[in-house]
Amino acid sequence: SFEQINFSRTLIVAWTLRAMALAQGGTISRVPLFQCDSFAVRRYGGNPAAVVLFSGRSDWPADTVLQAIANENNLSETAYVLEDKDQGIWRLRWFTPDGSEVDLCGHATLAAAHVAFTKIPSMAGVLTFHTRSGPLTITSEPGASESEFPKYRMVFPVEKTSEIPETVQASARKIFSTEAKVCRGGPDLLVVVGSWETVRACSPDSKLLEVLLRQNGLRGAILTAAISPDEGPPPGESELSFVSRFFAPNLGIEEDPCTGSAHCCLGLYWWLQGGGSLTEARRPGQRVAAFKAMQMSHRKGYLDVELHADETGKLVTHLIGNAVDYMEATIILEE
């Protein structure tokens, strides 16, 4: 039939191209791929991330290959884990669907840690990934090995807020169609509104937001509100401290389901709004603040956000969340 002829021709073309690649010195191998739901309290919730696990090699594939895989996966982030046996360390990188490599990603780090702890028999209860943002330490919370939804604790930096030009503030208020406090929060635009209902109802203009973010060198936009005693939490929720949403159309992400790294800014911001002080003395290891957070995407993401003093007394962010397996597969890797 015509369809069979077409299919046969497609196979011939595919195998011809593959043969040409191999003839030019390329290689084909198979590597495991996992997809996990991070910051999820149920499967099909939270934020999905792909994790590609490279072993038995000393260096990464070419960036063009990593970009192509991330584009093929078409998830907000693909995490790449490389066991560098020469130096005895684990390396971690993150790519978005448009091929951009990002400096920090919470949910894909959580997914990568989940894969390492559950798929690598020799892995202990503490893991440090070496990344563009420095070393990131992740630990399994008690009972993680017996749970289908294990919980992990990640130590991330804190992100401070800073002023942003009034013209940018005005543009942000127009794009989000709401009165808001607008500033810079770490690498992102931070838009603070008065209620969770406003956060839920907002529908920003993606095209205008993309232009604004690109023009100002911003990674994305955080929309957030505290849970006030008068308003109470959204229906069906309890014990929430604040809510948020995250948009990054400039990175090919219209809205991210749950953005762990955004909470490096949100934890510090809401602590300071509640009377916290950056100048007060802190004991090494002291827990300074603790919040319950929800990201109000259609998939919903939940995490505990804590501020701790490290061994030098410097503030760091602890992000605690669950991860669950969704899929295991194999990539046919062409280099």
Side-chain angles (χ1 to χ4, degrees):
S1 69
F2 176 77
E3 289 81 4
Q4 289 173 322
I5 293 171
N6 253 357
F7 181 67
S8 298
R9 286 175 176 170
T10 300
L11 282 179
I12 292 170
V13 170
W15 282 107
T16 300
L17 291 173
R18 179 170 294 187
M20 289 171 62
L22 291 174
Q24 293 171 2
T27 60
I28 294 177
S29 59
R30 293 176 180 270
V31 296
L33 176 141
F34 306 89
Q35 187 171 320
C36 309
D37 293 333
S38 296
F39 302 122
V41 295
R42 60 177 179 83
R43 194 170 274 111
Y44 321 127
N47 200 352
V51 180
V52 181
L53 190 58
F54 295 114
S55 60
R57 59 187 299 157
S58 59
D59 205 354
W60 299 101
D63 282 3
T64 52
V65 174
L66 302 182
Q67 290 165 342
I69 294 171
N71 179 264
E72 187 83 7
N73 289 336
N74 199 30
L75 295 169
S76 60
E77 300 285 348
T78 294
Y80 297 98
V81 177
L82 174 67
E83 183 183 9
D84 187 338
K85 291 187 176 179
D86 292 341
Q87 298 192 41
I89 60 176
W90 291 87
R91 301 191 183 278
L92 176 63
R93 298 172 70 182
W94 311 275
F95 283 80
T96 64
D98 73 347
S100 300
E101 183 172 9
V102 299
D103 293 331
L104 188 64
C105 179
H107 84 279
T109 301
L110 181 61
H114 175 67
V115 168
F117 282 126
T118 59
K119 311 302 179 188
I120 302 173
S122 61
M123 188 59 63
V126 180
L127 169 64
T128 299
F129 285 126
H130 292 259
T131 76
R132 286 173 60 159
S133 293
L136 301 177
T137 300
I138 302 95
T139 58
S140 294
E141 291 289 271
S145 59
E146 291 81 36
S147 173
E148 185 184 7
F149 291 78
K151 183 174 285 190
Y152 305 98
R153 177 181 295 265
M154 305 184 292
V155 181
F156 276 31
V158 296
E159 295 283 4
K160 296 180 180 179
T161 59
S162 58
E163 294 298 317
I164 204 162
E166 180 57 43
T167 54
V168 177
Q169 296 181 42
S171 295
R173 293 185 187 103
K174 180 179 178 181
I175 289 168
F176 283 90
S177 300
T178 184
E179 286 301 313
K181 176 182 177 180
V182 181
C183 59
R184 186 180 182 117
D188 302 311
L189 184 73
L190 180 62
V191 181
V192 183
V193 294
S195 72
W196 64 259
E197 290 185 337
T198 303
V199 172
R200 184 176 64 179
C202 264
S203 182
D205 186 312
S206 289
K207 293 188 183 299
L208 292 179
L209 181 58
E210 178 178 358
V211 172
L212 182 68
L213 296 174
R214 288 188 185 279
Q215 287 179 341
N216 292 278
L218 296 162
R219 179 187 66 163
I222 307 168
L223 179 66
T224 187
I227 302 297
S228 69
D230 293 338
E231 184 184 35
E237 306 294 343
S238 61
E239 298 183 1
L240 288 178
S241 309
F242 61 83
V243 297
S244 65
R245 292 170 69 189
F246 187 87
F247 309 88
N250 51 315
L251 298 178
I253 304 167
E254 289 293 308
E255 180 173 358
D256 197 35
C258 189
T259 316
S261 58
H263 291 77
C264 296
C265 160
L266 290 170
L268 181 63
Y269 176 82
W270 287 118
W271 176 62
L272 292 174
Q273 291 300 303
S277 170
L278 291 174
T279 59
E280 67 184 28
R282 292 177 287 271
R283 301 186 313 275
Q286 176 186 354
R287 190 177 79 169
V288 176
F291 301 98
K292 297 281 187 181
M294 179 179 76
Q295 196 153 323
M296 298 187 77
S297 66
H298 71 284
R299 290 174 62 98
K300 294 184 181 179
Y302 299 85
L303 62 163
D304 293 337
V305 183
E306 297 179 358
L307 296 179
H308 287 246
D310 67 8
E311 62 276 5
T312 69
K314 179 183 176 182
L315 279 179
V316 292
T317 307
H318 285 213
L319 303 178
I320 304 102
N322 302 80
V324 61
D325 295 329
Y326 168 70
M327 180 177 68
E328 297 183 17
T330 302
I331 291 177
I332 300 173
L333 181 67
E334 295 190 19
E335 299 183 74

